[in-house]
Amino acid sequence: PQNDSDFPSRLRQIKSYFSRNCLTIGYESNASRIRKKEKAIWQRRYWEHTIRDEEDFIQHINYIHYNPVKHHLVESPQDWKFSSFHGYVKMGIYDQNWGAGQELIFENEVGHE
């Protein structure tokens, strides 16, 4: 909402609504999550980060696009079919082979907020 910067509350509401209204077939749970009535579709913690400037934005977008490669889910960002990377390639922002066959290193705070 306009003039509302309470990001943690907004995100909690979005995640809660989504969790109550989605199927969880295929998601693993554990005793702790069951006891706390949590579904295993979200990471437990939320780290807020306000984008400081255009360079910070670019670093975080790069991190997001490279993350499936970092976690060995795919060999290249282009292989992750759920990524916004494909739209960025269509807009000419990325080359289709960006992040393929290389290890990208990000600033310490990027992705660890």
Side-chain angles (χ1 to χ4, degrees):
Q2 191 171 2
N3 299 321
D4 181 357
S5 60
D6 186 4
F7 302 116
S9 292
R10 298 299 145 245
L11 192 56
R12 185 178 62 251
Q13 290 173 335
I14 291 167
K15 288 169 68 173
S16 177
Y17 176 84
F18 180 85
S19 297
R20 283 191 310 271
N21 292 285
C22 80
L23 296 175
T24 57
I25 298 169
Y27 292 98
E28 293 183 22
S29 199
N30 59 34
S32 174
R33 285 188 184 272
I34 292 167
R35 192 172 49 254
K36 294 177 182 179
K37 298 181 181 177
E38 295 175 341
K39 295 185 181 180
I41 52 178
W42 303 108
Q43 68 182 28
R44 280 218 161 134
R45 292 188 174 90
Y46 162 67
W47 291 274
E48 180 181 333
H49 175 78
T50 301
I51 299 296
R52 297 182 304 265
D53 53 30
E54 187 170 349
E55 180 60 31
D56 190 39
F57 175 76
I58 291 167
Q59 285 293 309
H60 280 81
I61 292 296
N62 288 344
Y63 177 85
I64 289 166
H65 290 145
Y66 188 73
N67 210 30
V69 177
K70 175 184 172 186
H71 291 284
H72 308 287
L73 299 171
V74 293
E75 297 290 321
S76 167
Q78 70 178 332
D79 299 334
W80 190 250
K81 67 180 182 178
F82 307 106
S83 179
S84 59
F85 177 79
H86 307 290
Y88 280 70
V89 169
K90 285 179 185 174
M91 290 187 285
I93 295 170
Y94 286 109
D95 177 87
Q96 184 142 347
N97 295 318
W98 179 89
Q102 59 183 313
E103 181 180 358
L104 300 181
I105 307 297
F106 297 92
E107 296 176 13
N108 287 339
E109 68 271 4
V110 175
H112 300 284
E113 287 83 10

